[in-house]
Amino acid sequence: MNTLEIANLSKSFGGVRAVDAVTFAVRPGEFLALIGPNGAGKSTCFNMINGQLAPDSGSIRFADREIAGLPSRMIWQLGVGRTFQVAATFVSMTVVENVQLALLSHAGEIFRGWRPVARRHRERALELLGEVGMREAAERASRELAYGDIKRLEFAIALASAPKLLLMDEPTAGMAPRERTDLITLVKRLVVERGISVLFTEHSMDVVFAFADRIIVLARGKLIADGDAKAVRENALVQQVYFGTGKSFERKRELLP
Amino acid sequence: MTVQSLLFQAIDGLAAASGLFFVAAGLSLIFGVTRIVNIAHGSLYMLGTYVAATIALRFEGALGFWGGVILTAALIGLFGAVIEIVLLRRIYRAPELFQLLATFALVLIINDAALWIWGPEDLLGPRAPGLRGAIEVLGRRLPTYNVFLIVIGPLVLLILHLALAKTRFGRLVRAATQDREMVGALGVNQGLLFTSVFALGSLLAGLGGALQVAREPASLLTDLIVISDAFVVVVVGGMGSITGAYLAAVIIAEVKALCISIGTASIAGVAFNFSKLTLVAEFLVMAVVLIVRPHGLLGRRQTVMRSLAEPEEPLRPAPAALKAVGAGVVVALALTPLLARSQPYVLVLGIDVLLMVLFATSLHFIMGPGGMHSFGHAAYFGLGAYGAGLLVKWFAATMPFGLVAAPILALLGALLFGWFAVRLSGVYLAMLTLAFAQIVWSIATQWGELTGGSNGILGIWPSAPFDIRSAFFLLTAALTLLGVLLLRRLLFAPFGYAMRAGRDSQLRAEAIGIDVRRVHWIGFAIAGAVAGVAGGLFAFAKGSISPETIDVGRSIDALVMVLLGGIQTLTGPIVGASVFAVLQDTVMRQTEYWRALLGAIILALVLLFPAGIVGGLARLRLRLVRP
């Protein structure tokens, strides 16, 4: 059984079909990249899966359950974790408290009002921070962190709910090349250990071709390719959308004397 | 009621709509461009009435009146420009809350200035020369002046509309309303644009006030009445939309006219006086509109402005020094009755201070950690006070029952109002909470049979053993301590963290499964219940409760107390409320012009000490520790 199955998913904004009858699946334990040029519909697709947007039509099935149109917190409760393109943490809290809060929410303890947070799930939170290499920074205010460290913290928060599927929207955006490889290596190692399936979007082709098990390509809202790195790289349609055909200049050349 | 009288009231309502529109249009323009909700807009209107009346009385005749109207509009416009240059320029980048407070400070200062210049008596202007007659409409007499107002409202709307659509200035105003930062990035002189928009808005307010002189006397009470009407109009019409402002002004004026013309009607056998609904009607309209269209009838979602407030430090458990101070305070409180043997007034003041501490702490609970800037926290204080008072009045209940009823009624009110409030944020939340507080206040004022109207309820005295003041003091101290510690405990527990998480990043909080609205709703209700305890105790401490003790002034006092202490600290509201209550008792009772003094304190806070007393001390310590 596939972890996530998407069938005929569509969403329009005004007259623009941002996502147009897209169908694909994420297999168990798969590291699946969703790529495409700017405006291809990647983010719209993502936001429908994580519940931020309701699709116009189509179905999203996760763990044998229809999740299209559910609020994002319910989708999270079912076992879909996520990280944001522009990393978001709770800036008024320390690093370890950020992770503790995710653990508390996962344990259904958000509405508890007596025993302080400081004494709840602290060990487990530190353990998770240790796994992403942030153990030393546990007591720092999360707003003081460097951007790469915020990304790591976000990843630890995402792992806290022990998800079956992780949605990562441009996990390495805004990072230096070296940091980028370090982070994605870490992510891949930890999700493989845990058997988590990952769907991620990414602009860095180095990261995509080096790490993705499989790649799907969106262009103008439509799915145009699906396959491994080699197949996608050699796909004529993909080459066309990424590099163009050069045809836009041909006519002008003809007009020249 | 006949169809004719209904139609007549509807036509007359259009005259009132024009008056509302002038103020609301200016307020809306100013908000659209500068993103400042100018609470002092009603004060500019009030100044307009006084200035126009003064001119018309000095220079009699048509020239004195009509020339005075034009001169007044110009003078108030100029005054607006001065305010913008001297004050507002310094706070464009401050958090929203501080902007609201700064303009509220102006309200206080302008009101006292008017009191100083024109005295406490209402000032009656002459009637409009040339428009003193009346015409017959539907068999009734409609004053010619009202016909003039009915015409001039849409006329000004048309002029404004053309100016915004066709001129360069209008294009800039519309562009800035859509995206202020972009307009700045394109090299437009923002200073000039903002000043001229503020002047134009003030001019409209002055014009509205000046035209009103022929109908009503100038009064010191106009500022707050007009501003709350104008707010409702702007929020209903959509912030920044001029046409929306006119539409909303008409709707509200018509709903009021309808209430008046229905008069007393019988619903299911119970006689109900609809004309009493007029005070609440506009707020009901606003509540409905905000729920159906959160950005008003013709408004659109505002572009999110970057918040420039300094981020908060993580919450740390109280250090040993603070615990020691706390223990010291508890001991001091327990010993106070001994001291009071020689100075009995200490107990009276002490009870006041304690109640304000409890009230301010409950507001801080939702304002700081919850990020919900309630401008109507007095509603829950009032519900508590009236909950206790009504039980005593109607069922001759003793104090224990009254003190149980207080938080329950406040809790129910907060659950009801909070359900709506947590669906909004920022300025809209502030306005909606203010509207709810006005509703509570109106009910207390108007439902005379139940609440005793503006006289309130008398004879709410504590029962034994608390009828001795020192015992009542100890009870107040114990309940305050309990409330403050409970709220503090909650903030350190998962619930408090969830509240802060929803404030820090709603998207992130939802993404880890936190139902932010529900968390904030419950937080709002808890804060309401605690404010209710303070209100209940207040009623027993004073022996009476009246509408004026729960009006908008009390809501604003609470905001000032929280900010005075520092919104980003947990001890802030305690220190702020104590200092404020003592100041109010000592300094403010010494002068007739205490409003201006309070205004000056607020301005000093906003401009010089945005972190408050405790926040300022903490920063000072940081600077000393880490040179």
Side-chain angles (χ1 to χ4, degrees):
Chain A
M1 193 185 69
N2 289 324
T3 311
L4 184 74
E5 279 189 18
I6 288 178
N8 279 315
L9 195 64
S10 297
K11 177 84 187 176
S12 300
F13 296 108
V16 185
R17 301 211 66 156
V19 173
D20 192 357
V22 166
T23 300
F24 68 90
V26 184
R27 297 167 196 149
E30 190 174 38
F31 208 65
L32 176 64
L34 173 64
I35 66 169
N38 286 328
K42 302 185 299 285
S43 288
T44 307
C45 204
F46 243 70
N47 285 339
M48 286 191 283
I49 301 173
N50 64 34
Q52 231 169 295
L53 280 175
D56 293 340
S57 64
S59 104
I60 306 169
R61 293 189 73 79
F62 170 73
D64 238 10
R65 222 190 121 158
E66 183 63 44
I67 59 166
L70 289 183
S72 44
R73 60 169 187 279
M74 296 191 64
I75 292 174
W76 176 86
Q77 275 155 3
L78 291 171
V80 182
R82 72 187 279 202
T83 63
F84 290 81
Q85 183 175 346
V86 178
T89 58
F90 303 123
V91 290
S92 71
M93 297 177 200
T94 64
V95 169
V96 67
E97 284 168 350
N98 267 277
V99 184
Q100 278 173 288
L101 197 56
L103 288 165
L104 281 163
S105 179
H106 185 57
E109 294 172 1
I110 279 302
F111 288 96
R112 303 283 170 89
W114 192 248
R115 206 152 58 91
V117 167
R119 283 182 248 148
R120 292 172 185 260
H121 303 286
R122 197 180 145 80
E123 289 311 310
R124 177 77 189 120
L126 290 175
E127 211 175 286
L128 281 165
L129 285 175
E131 293 194 69
V132 298
M134 291 283 291
R135 180 73 176 74
E136 307 303 306
E139 299 304 330
R140 292 178 59 192
S142 72
R143 66 183 159 93
E144 294 170 352
L145 294 182
Y147 195 65
D149 287 343
I150 294 181
K151 291 267 180 186
R152 283 167 190 271
L153 170 56
E154 250 208 330
F155 185 49
I157 294 173
L159 289 179
S161 60
K164 296 191 213 44
L165 171 68
L166 195 52
L167 303 171
M168 305 185 81
D169 198 358
E170 300 205 17
T172 69
M175 297 175 82
R178 175 66 196 277
E179 270 186 316
R180 201 181 272 174
T181 317
D182 287 352
L183 180 73
I184 210 81
T185 311
L186 173 76
V187 169
K188 178 121 192 196
R189 181 168 62 76
L190 290 177
V191 297
V192 168
E193 276 174 25
R194 289 166 160 76
I196 300 173
S197 316
V198 174
L199 175 65
F200 71 107
T201 64
E202 186 55 66
H203 271 295
S204 160
M205 289 306 134
D206 293 349
V207 168
V208 171
F209 288 126
F211 291 92
D213 297 329
R214 188 162 63 99
I215 299 163
I216 51 180
V217 188
L218 273 185
R220 295 195 178 167
K222 287 192 157 71
L223 195 72
I224 58 165
D226 180 346
D228 62 10
K230 185 162 179 287
V232 165
R233 206 176 306 183
E234 287 165 3
N235 185 310
L237 210 51
V238 174
Q239 288 176 359
Q240 194 183 322
V241 302
Y242 266 96
F243 302 114
T245 54
K247 274 185 183 143
S248 27
F249 296 103
E250 269 172 18
R251 188 166 297 176
K252 280 188 191 145
R253 211 172 292 144
E254 280 164 23
L255 288 175
L256 292 172
Chain B
M1 177 192 67
T2 63
V3 175
Q4 282 201 340
S5 80
L6 190 68
L7 269 177
F8 180 83
Q9 288 290 352
I11 293 171
D12 202 42
L14 286 178
S18 291
L20 269 181
F21 167 69
F22 290 131
V23 199
L27 189 65
S28 195
L29 264 180
I30 291 172
F31 175 80
V33 173
T34 65
R35 287 291 183 278
I36 283 192
V37 175
N38 179 27
I39 303 185
H41 214 66
S43 309
L44 295 171
Y45 175 96
M46 183 187 76
L47 280 183
T49 59
Y50 274 106
V51 172
T54 309
I55 295 175
L57 289 173
R58 169 127 350 145
F59 308 99
E60 282 170 23
L63 188 68
F65 184 89
W66 296 108
V69 168
I70 292 167
L71 184 62
T72 302
L75 282 176
I76 302 296
L78 196 67
F79 182 57
V82 172
I83 292 179
E84 199 275 344
I85 291 168
V86 174
L87 173 67
L88 298 184
R89 280 197 180 173
R90 295 168 210 285
I91 57 171
Y92 283 133
R93 318 222 72 186
E96 213 163 54
L97 181 65
F98 283 76
Q99 299 175 345
L100 289 170
L101 275 167
T103 57
F104 188 79
L106 282 179
V107 172
L108 298 170
I109 294 171
I110 292 176
N111 195 285
D112 265 2
L115 172 67
W116 183 64
I117 299 173
W118 286 286
E121 299 296 320
D122 286 1
L123 185 63
L124 191 63
R127 294 173 68 195
L131 295 175
R132 282 178 188 161
I135 55 168
E136 191 148 312
V137 178
L138 298 165
R140 288 161 186 248
R141 288 171 61 77
L142 182 69
T144 334
Y145 195 72
N146 287 13
V147 179
F148 165 72
L149 284 181
I150 291 172
V151 174
I152 198 159
L155 195 69
V156 169
L157 170 66
L158 187 71
I159 294 170
L160 276 178
H161 184 78
L162 286 178
L164 287 180
K166 304 284 181 196
T167 64
R168 177 181 145 78
F169 173 73
R171 267 200 302 281
L172 287 180
V173 168
R174 281 185 294 139
T177 304
Q178 274 189 16
D179 193 334
R180 183 173 99 187
E181 287 179 359
M182 192 62 190
V183 171
L186 291 175
V188 171
N189 183 341
Q190 289 209 46
L192 195 62
L193 178 66
F194 283 21
T195 310
S196 47
V197 165
F198 203 87
L200 175 63
S202 308
L203 182 145
L204 284 170
L207 181 66
L211 287 175
Q212 206 61 26
V213 166
R215 300 179 71 194
E216 287 164 10
S219 149
L220 288 173
L221 298 174
T222 0
D223 52 359
L224 283 183
I225 296 173
V226 165
I227 193 62
S228 66
D229 283 352
F231 268 148
V232 173
V233 170
V234 171
V235 169
V236 168
M239 293 264 190
S241 165
I242 302 291
T243 318
Y246 187 70
L247 189 65
V250 170
I251 291 176
I252 285 165
E254 291 304 327
V255 169
K256 283 188 171 186
L258 187 71
C259 286
I260 292 171
S261 59
I262 292 176
T264 307
S266 155
I267 298 169
V270 180
F272 188 79
N273 190 349
F274 273 90
S275 57
K276 286 198 172 174
L277 261 181
T278 46
L279 258 180
V280 192
E282 62 200 67
F283 294 109
L284 289 179
V285 171
M286 172 161 108
V288 170
V289 168
L290 279 182
I291 290 150
V292 182
R293 283 186 66 91
H295 302 286
L297 292 174
L298 299 183
R300 53 177 87 181
R301 185 180 283 276
Q302 303 294 341
T303 45
V304 178
M305 296 291 294
R306 279 172 295 139
S307 166
L308 293 137
E310 279 198 38
E312 207 171 277
E313 285 290 322
L315 211 54
R316 310 274 187 205
L322 181 62
K323 280 183 182 156
V325 171
V329 169
V330 172
V331 172
L333 285 174
L335 295 178
T336 306
L338 296 179
L339 172 73
R341 279 187 196 156
S342 54
Q343 286 173 307
Y345 186 67
V346 169
L347 287 181
V348 179
L349 180 60
I351 290 170
D352 272 357
V353 170
L354 285 167
L355 291 180
M356 287 309 107
V357 165
L358 188 57
F359 184 42
T361 309
S362 73
L363 175 62
H364 174 266
F365 186 71
I366 47 173
M367 227 172 104
M372 294 175 275
H373 300 157
S374 168
F375 269 55
H377 207 52
Y380 314 104
F381 185 85
L383 284 172
Y386 270 93
L390 289 173
L391 211 62
V392 171
K393 178 181 178 185
W394 292 103
F395 300 100
T398 51
M399 191 171 78
F401 293 101
L403 286 185
V404 171
I408 291 177
L409 190 63
L411 177 73
L412 291 177
L415 278 173
L416 176 67
F417 295 153
W419 191 87
F420 298 110
V422 297
R423 278 159 173 73
L424 303 171
S425 59
V427 178
Y428 287 92
L429 183 136
M431 292 304 117
L432 191 69
T433 48
L434 181 70
F436 285 137
Q438 283 302 104
I439 291 180
V440 171
W441 177 82
S442 304
I443 293 173
T445 313
Q446 306 225 335
W447 199 352
E449 300 84 40
L450 181 75
T451 62
S454 49
N455 294 327
I457 305 169
L458 304 171
I460 315 166
W461 294 113
S463 39
F466 300 107
D467 49 351
I468 303 163
R469 197 151 283 280
S470 55
F472 191 82
F473 174 85
L474 288 177
L475 174 74
T476 308
L479 286 178
T480 300
L481 207 63
L482 189 71
V484 168
L485 288 179
L486 263 178
L487 290 179
R488 189 181 166 89
R489 183 96 199 184
L490 264 175
L491 287 179
F492 280 94
F495 181 77
Y497 274 72
M499 247 185 11
R500 277 160 62 215
R503 173 201 64 187
D504 283 356
S505 166
Q506 174 156 15
L507 205 61
R508 193 7 128 192
E510 293 277 344
I512 60 163
I514 297 175
D515 189 342
V516 173
R517 271 185 190 171
R518 194 145 158 235
V519 168
H520 281 178
W521 184 41
I522 293 174
F524 196 93
I526 293 172
V530 175
V533 174
L537 282 168
F538 180 85
F540 284 107
K542 305 286 168 195
S544 68
I545 183 76
S546 67
E548 74 185 59
T549 52
I550 66 163
D551 63 4
V552 60
R554 184 158 305 271
S555 295
I556 302 293
D557 283 355
L559 283 167
V560 174
M561 288 184 240
V562 170
L563 293 177
L564 184 65
I567 191 172
Q568 294 194 339
T569 61
L570 296 189
T571 41
I574 301 172
V575 175
S578 308
V579 172
F580 184 85
V582 172
L583 264 184
Q584 202 169 33
D585 190 76
T586 51
V587 185
M588 292 180 193
R589 293 224 171 116
Q590 305 297 316
T591 163
E592 190 184 354
Y593 300 105
W594 59 269
R595 281 185 215 87
L597 190 68
L598 177 59
I601 293 175
I602 297 177
L603 282 184
L605 263 179
V606 168
L607 295 175
L608 304 174
F609 313 103
I613 297 172
V614 178
L617 287 177
R619 267 179 216 177
L620 194 68
R621 206 194 59 192
L622 270 186
R623 206 173 293 169
L624 293 178
V625 174
R626 303 184 206 156

